Amino acid sequence: MDNCIKRYFIITYGCQMNIHESEKIAGILTSMGYTLAENEKTADIVVFNTCCIRENAEDRAEGNIGALKKLKKQNKNLIIAVGGCMTQQPNFAISLLSKFPFIDIIFGTHNLENFKELLTKKLSQKKTLIEVIETDGCIYEGTPKKRTSYPNAWVNIMYGCNNFCTYCIVPYVRGRERSRKKQDIINECKDLIKQGYKEITLLGQNVNSYGNDLEDGSNFADLIKEIANIDGKFRLRFMTNHPKDFTDEMIYAIASNDKICKCVHLPVQSGSSKVLDLMNRHYDREYYINRLDKLKEVIPNCAVTTDIMVGFPQETDDDFLDTISLVKYADFNGAFTFVYSRRNGTVASEMQGQIEETVSQKRIMTLIDLQNEINRKQSDKYVGKTVEILCEDFDSKKNCYMGRDEFGKMVYFTSDKNLIGEFVMTKITKTGGMSLMGELID
Ligand code: SF4
């Protein structure tokens, strides 16, 4: 092994936002001459990019940091850095360091883009460097990125959140909404398409409020229309939408261009207006159904996926039945289902009427069974159809290629040729639960 080459390894927890932020850390390290290590054992620097949305992600991160103690003993020069939203919580850095004194760098969500300066500083000093900025971060342009999800590219359009849903810690650790300038986003997308990326996924905690903080009148509907007008064959996706800001203008913008996937992630969280109010979601059951109805009126075949939480404080059996009836009505094309988990520092964690785990478990199983049944029926309707998919990867366990149609449905198929990054036509031959099996057609 060449001793001059320094290697990095990044361990990422949480959502697409974090995956993309790890691409930025990897980009910064690459620009400093580091290359990717096979695993933490062969790395000179290990970075934990943490998530604190759910307690179990935090527990896993702490468990994995603890496991590096032995490695650090064997290799005193190993740098261990911990960042992400876990460390951004008040007083968290100090308590983390008291548990794991061998950590070298602790940084937050607002100064990730300064990782080069942080690492350079650390390399010239012995003691642990703690730099967690408490104020809202500004917007950095030009951070190098080492992208890992070809043919898809993630593009941040905004940071932070203003919504303060009562169960969520994000606004406390990621600050208030800050939108990137429209031209910077468009330039990044143009560049990605030129580089050969075939799918762009725009990221924000609530993409529908993009531009509210800008003075030039930019909004999300105009942004997606302008990106879709860039020359070339590619797909445009975005996440996450907030139903309260999901306007008619948005729906018509999605309908306006074939490059914009007819697939919308619209988290409902609960079918009970009472629970939605307790969650501080700023819409009720009727308003959500109104948005769904409008979307289906303008784009009848539009796929809709969602997030649903059960066991929120004070959720009664009747409230849960409201969720069940809404799921049946919506016929969602997919749902991320969760049991509410009490998160310190949130309003909901202090609420009366926390629900027994056994009750929540029963509810989630009922919900999962229902959604699986809906998805099975939807999958069955695909059999015999011809669909265009974007080939994304090779699944070595299944020994076949995989890709999604514009509605987000996963299709597996075999091919002698590497087709990753190509649009191909497949005929669906059978279903396999949530996914589909297909045959390539010329
Ligand atoms: S919209 Fe609500 S759930 Fe989503 S990040 Fe903001 S506070 Fe959290």
Side-chain angles (χ1 to χ4, degrees):
M1 188 167 90
D2 184 344
N3 284 332
C4 295
I5 296 175
K6 298 274 185 197
R7 292 183 166 81
Y8 71 87
F9 193 71
I10 302 175
I11 302 172
T12 307
Y13 303 84
C15 59
Q16 284 79 5
M17 193 77 80
N18 262 24
I19 293 170
H20 185 43
E21 285 179 350
S22 288
E23 292 181 335
K24 292 183 188 173
I25 299 170
I28 293 169
L29 287 167
T30 304
S31 75
M32 294 174 79
Y34 284 78
T35 59
L36 180 64
E38 253 172 55
N39 54 46
E40 58 268 49
K41 290 190 189 111
T42 56
D44 298 283
I45 176 166
V46 178
V47 184
F48 288 88
N49 187 12
T50 64
C51 168
C52 66
I53 306 267
R54 294 181 186 280
E55 225 145 58
N56 62 0
E58 208 169 283
D59 294 346
R60 265 192 302 129
E62 290 204 8
N64 292 344
I65 295 167
L68 286 202
K69 188 177 175 186
K70 210 169 133 198
L71 216 57
K72 181 80 180 178
K73 262 194 180 162
Q74 291 163 355
N75 175 9
K76 292 263 181 292
N77 293 325
L78 172 68
I79 301 275
I80 298 175
V82 184
C85 42
M86 185 171 100
T87 57
Q88 193 70 43
Q89 299 172 89
N91 305 320
F92 197 91
I94 298 294
S95 83
L96 190 69
L97 192 61
S98 66
K99 281 190 219 166
F100 308 109
F102 52 86
I103 295 175
D104 297 284
I105 305 173
I106 300 180
F107 61 106
T109 55
H110 300 313
N111 58 345
L112 173 151
E113 273 89 354
N114 290 335
F115 194 72
K116 181 175 178 178
E117 288 71 31
L118 293 176
L119 179 55
T120 309
K121 202 161 153 188
K122 169 60 206 167
L123 291 172
S124 66
Q125 70 176 52
K126 268 205 156 155
K127 62 178 186 15
T128 301
L129 183 69
I130 301 182
E131 282 206 15
V132 179
I133 301 169
E134 298 279 334
T135 52
D136 281 358
C138 50
I139 300 221
Y140 296 85
E141 292 296 340
T143 305
K145 299 167 193 90
K146 189 161 171 48
R147 298 185 182 271
T148 52
S149 53
Y150 178 84
N152 175 68
W154 311 104
V155 174
N156 278 122
I157 62 164
M158 60 197 297
Y159 303 89
C161 180
N162 290 356
N163 290 307
F164 292 93
C165 300
T166 53
Y167 52 83
C168 182
I169 195 108
V170 166
Y172 303 97
V173 292
R174 292 199 172 262
R176 298 295 75 71
E177 281 175 5
R178 307 169 303 277
S179 304
R180 288 178 69 195
K181 288 194 187 112
K182 188 162 80 175
Q183 203 50 52
D184 289 332
I185 299 168
I186 290 171
N187 289 347
E188 184 175 349
C189 293
K190 278 186 180 161
D191 195 40
L192 288 165
I193 291 154
K194 222 192 252 172
Q195 288 176 44
Y197 284 89
K198 301 291 169 53
E199 184 176 272
I200 287 174
T201 306
L202 306 177
L203 294 175
Q205 305 292 350
N206 173 14
V207 289
N208 312 117
S209 59
Y210 168 79
N212 286 354
D213 58 320
L214 297 176
E215 280 165 12
D216 62 0
S218 302
N219 70 24
F220 189 62
D222 290 340
L223 178 70
I224 58 172
K225 283 195 276 186
E226 281 199 43
I227 295 173
N229 274 335
I230 298 172
D231 285 343
K233 183 169 168 101
F234 64 95
R235 286 179 179 169
L236 181 60
R237 298 185 189 273
F238 47 85
M239 61 195 304
T240 286
N241 298 278
H242 195 306
K244 78 177 169 62
D245 299 314
F246 194 65
T247 57
D248 286 1
E249 190 188 2
M250 259 309 302
I251 295 172
Y252 288 113
I254 296 167
S256 71
N257 193 312
D258 286 345
K259 291 180 193 169
I260 304 172
C261 289
K262 307 298 176 264
C263 180
V264 174
H265 187 65
L266 198 62
V268 64
Q269 305 298 0
S270 171
S272 154
S273 294
K274 180 197 93 185
V275 174
L276 289 169
D277 189 39
L278 286 167
M279 289 176 167
N280 196 33
R281 291 287 289 172
H282 295 282
Y283 58 87
D284 59 14
R285 174 190 174 88
E286 286 67 37
Y287 184 77
Y288 187 88
I289 289 175
N290 168 285
R291 294 296 76 203
L292 271 184
D293 289 348
K294 183 71 190 179
L295 182 58
K296 295 284 178 161
E297 177 198 316
V298 179
I299 316 169
N301 62 346
C302 192
V304 181
T305 57
T306 198
D307 297 339
I308 308 171
M309 193 186 291
V310 301
F312 191 77
Q314 300 172 39
E315 183 190 68
T316 62
D317 285 341
D318 282 346
D319 294 322
F320 177 63
L321 288 176
D322 281 347
T323 297
I324 290 292
S325 71
L326 188 136
V327 169
K328 285 181 181 162
Y329 178 81
D331 199 31
F332 289 119
N333 299 73
F336 296 98
T337 53
F338 308 93
V339 171
Y340 164 74
S341 95
R342 205 170 179 167
R343 202 70 205 79
N344 278 341
T346 61
V347 173
S349 70
E350 305 293 326
M351 281 180 182
Q352 300 292 315
Q354 300 284 326
I355 305 296
E356 296 266 335
E357 183 66 22
T358 47
V359 174
S360 299
Q361 283 303 330
K362 214 170 141 199
R363 288 179 187 164
I364 194 94
M365 291 322 294
T366 307
L367 179 62
I368 290 171
D369 284 348
L370 171 62
Q371 187 58 45
N372 283 347
E373 183 56 29
I374 291 170
N375 290 140
R376 258 193 303 273
K377 283 186 185 155
Q378 289 167 346
S379 293
D380 287 347
K381 288 187 196 154
Y382 264 90
V383 178
K385 283 190 182 165
T386 297
V387 293
E388 182 182 57
I389 62 162
L390 171 59
C391 181
E392 290 174 11
D393 211 347
F394 182 76
D395 185 325
S396 47
K397 276 193 200 138
K398 290 190 163 77
N399 199 28
C400 56
Y401 286 93
M402 57 202 264
R404 282 177 299 157
D405 71 357
E406 74 159 314
F407 308 107
K409 199 79 177 162
M410 187 64 81
V411 179
Y412 292 88
F413 63 98
T414 55
S415 164
D416 297 336
K417 247 176 52 189
N418 179 353
L419 293 172
I420 296 171
E422 289 190 33
F423 289 96
V424 293
M425 299 305 289
T426 56
K427 183 165 182 182
I428 306 304
T429 51
K430 59 180 178 173
T431 66
M434 286 291 288
S435 54
L436 304 167
M437 262 50 88
E439 275 170 8
L440 267 183
I441 50 176
D442 297 327

